[in-house]
């Protein structure tokens, strides 16, 4: 057998074994799609959705409060669904509805949200004006987009009295998770704003349109959200296309990834005790950060640390350094220089 092919197969088998070990501890992105086995980068195989829906139960919406937006601080008016029993006049409805027994199933799902206002008034002040949130451990976490800015002049609805948003989930479309790729992104298609996303696991979510009503003197922020559920397995991290090699030596896994631009940098991930001040990170958040995704894709409970040699690509968000918690597991993420200085 050709040695280079044998080495490639060995790497793939190693990553597959890591994916199996990691699956019960951390989760994340589905595998890549398209291309032959020889020209594809090393990836962890994606979990295969099971036809047995009971294998992946979806939490109930009972007791799940209305979502807000982290950027909107203080007294926020929250509206879930139609404005029943409220004086805000704002509402948002979804298809399928919250009571629809036909819960959309991953890896692909499509939902439509119709925002409406009973007066000729807009919401403004956020860019982008929408967010996708997931309910975990008693609170809402913003999983898309990665960054929300607060600025005057940005319209939330794109229209005065109503706006339609179509959320399309395709977990096989992994290019949507690569900050370097121009995947079309959010776009206006006639009267519909299309929002394509990837890298979601099953659970309870909310689509939220938020901002300030322009007629309110106090500019009290309003978050108008529609809660929904997705049926599907937890995510299992795979490496990005930039990964060139993964090695295991003793209790250390080493990953080489070249995104093509930026100064060299080394990140180190190690498992630690859960810290009280650790940032809770969901897999749906981590999957959009290539350095963090590559660190977690190579993590194995049997290793002490994962070392990632890569570059600070200008399109990549900076990893969250310091303690983080994911699915009740504590991790520490540092640069190599910080790790050395602390020893």
């Amino acid at each position: 057998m050709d040695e280079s092919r044998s080495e490639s197969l060995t790497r793939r088998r190693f990553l597959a074994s890591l994916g199996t070990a990691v699956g019960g501890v951390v989760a994340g992105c589905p595998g890549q799609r398209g291309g032959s086995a020889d020209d594809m980068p090393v990836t962890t195989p994606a979990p295969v959705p099971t036809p047995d829906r009971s294998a992946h139960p979806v939490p109930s919406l009972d007791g799940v409060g209305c979502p807000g937006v982290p950027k909107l601080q203080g007294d926020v008016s929250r509206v879930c669904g139609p404005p029943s029993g409220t004086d805000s006049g704002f509402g948002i409805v979804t298809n399928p509805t919250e009571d629809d027994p036909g819960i959309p199933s991953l890896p692909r799902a499509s939902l439509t949200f119709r925002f409406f206002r009973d007066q000729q008034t807009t919401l403004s002040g956020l860019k982008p004006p929408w967010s996708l949130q997931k309910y975990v451990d008693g609170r809402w976490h913003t999983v898309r987009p990665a960054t929300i800015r607060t600025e005057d002049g940005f319209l939330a609805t794109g229209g005065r009295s109503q706006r339609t948003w179509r959320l399309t989930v395709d977990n096989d479309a992994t290019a949507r998770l690569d900050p370097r790729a121009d995947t079309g992104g959010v776009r206006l298609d006639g009267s519909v704003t299309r929002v394509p996303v990837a890298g979601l696991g099953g659970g309870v979510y909310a689509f939220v349109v938020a901002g300030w009503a322009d007629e309110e003197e106090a500019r009290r922020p309003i978050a108008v959200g529609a809660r929904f559920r997705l049926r599907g397995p937890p995510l299992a991290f795979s490496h990005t296309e930039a990964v060139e090699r993964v090695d295991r030596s003793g209790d250390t896994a080493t990953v080489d990834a070249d995104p093509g631009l930026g100064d060299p940098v080394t990140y180190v991930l190690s498992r630690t005790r859960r810290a009280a001040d650790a940032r809770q990170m969901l897999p749906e958040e981590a999957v959009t950060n290539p350095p963090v995704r590559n660190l977690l894709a190579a993590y194995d409970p049997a290793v002490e640390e994962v070392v990632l040699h890569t570059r600070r690509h200008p399109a990549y968000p900076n990893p969250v350094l310091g303690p983080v918690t994911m699915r009740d597991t504590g991790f520490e993420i540092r640069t190599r220089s910080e790790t050395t200085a602390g020893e």
Side-chain angles (χ1 to χ4, degrees):
M1 180 182 290
D2 179 72
E3 290 184 0
S4 63
R5 178 174 176 81
S6 176
E7 184 177 315
S8 176
L9 288 172
T10 300
R11 289 198 301 269
R12 282 199 289 272
R13 290 185 185 123
F14 171 71
L15 281 176
S17 66
L18 283 186
T20 301
V22 171
V25 182
V26 286
C29 167
Q32 304 290 340
R33 180 175 66 178
S36 67
D38 289 332
D39 61 17
M40 286 299 292
V42 179
T43 60
T44 302
V48 178
T50 171
D52 182 6
R53 293 190 173 187
S54 63
H56 302 290
V58 183
S60 170
L61 290 175
D62 294 341
V64 175
C66 288
V69 175
K71 282 289 183 180
L72 302 181
Q73 304 295 331
D75 187 16
V76 181
S77 177
R78 301 172 188 236
V79 180
C80 288
S84 175
T86 72
D87 57 4
S88 67
F90 288 94
I92 190 168
V93 294
T94 180
N95 183 24
T97 66
E98 293 180 11
D99 298 325
D100 191 334
I103 304 172
S105 295
L106 299 170
R108 296 179 183 87
S110 181
L111 297 99
T112 299
F113 306 92
R114 185 172 60 86
F115 169 92
F116 60 91
R117 171 66 164 151
D118 62 4
Q119 300 177 12
Q120 294 297 307
T121 306
T122 61
L123 289 178
S124 63
L126 295 179
K127 182 179 182 181
W130 60 273
S131 68
L132 178 63
Q133 301 184 36
K134 187 172 186 178
Y135 192 78
V136 176
D137 293 338
R139 70 183 186 91
W140 291 101
H141 303 255
T142 300
V143 297
R144 299 290 186 281
T147 303
I148 299 176
R149 299 206 311 267
T150 304
E151 298 182 30
D152 289 335
F154 292 116
L155 297 182
T157 61
R160 282 201 167 267
S161 59
Q162 66 178 23
R163 185 72 198 154
T164 299
W165 307 77
R166 185 156 297 151
L167 180 71
T168 303
V169 184
D170 184 353
N171 278 348
D172 291 327
T174 53
R176 294 175 183 168
L177 301 173
D178 190 341
R180 301 170 302 173
D182 180 9
T183 59
V186 179
R187 63 187 179 89
L188 182 64
D189 183 6
S191 62
V192 177
T193 300
R194 299 187 179 275
V195 183
V197 298
L200 299 184
V204 174
Y205 290 85
F207 185 82
V208 184
V209 177
W212 287 266
D214 57 14
E215 86 284 2
E216 293 185 355
E217 295 181 2
R219 289 181 59 79
R220 182 188 184 192
I222 296 176
V224 187
R227 296 163 297 182
F228 62 95
R229 298 184 289 170
L230 291 178
R231 188 189 306 276
L235 299 169
F237 279 112
S238 65
H239 290 291
T240 69
E241 293 184 357
V243 169
E244 300 174 327
R245 187 175 58 143
V246 177
D247 288 329
R248 169 81 175 270
S249 178
D251 57 7
T252 299
T254 302
V255 183
D256 293 332
D258 188 357
L261 291 174
D263 297 329
V265 61
T266 297
Y267 297 107
V268 179
L269 176 141
S270 57
R271 186 169 178 174
T272 66
R273 292 183 178 180
R274 293 183 59 186
D277 59 344
R279 179 190 185 278
Q280 184 176 10
M281 181 183 296
L282 300 190
E284 287 80 5
E285 297 175 81
V287 76
T288 64
N289 189 306
V292 175
R293 172 179 162 187
N294 286 327
L295 285 166
L296 290 170
Y299 170 74
D300 182 326
V303 304
E304 293 295 327
E305 64 180 17
V306 179
V307 179
L308 170 64
H309 302 295
T310 186
R311 301 193 200 186
R312 290 187 177 96
H313 194 286
Y316 285 0
N318 292 322
V320 176
L321 300 180
V324 297
T325 298
M326 180 177 291
R327 287 189 173 172
D328 296 325
T329 301
F331 294 97
E332 185 84 12
I333 301 176
R334 298 189 180 277
T335 62
R336 170 70 81 179
S337 58
E338 288 176 341
T339 302
T340 302
E343 293 178 350

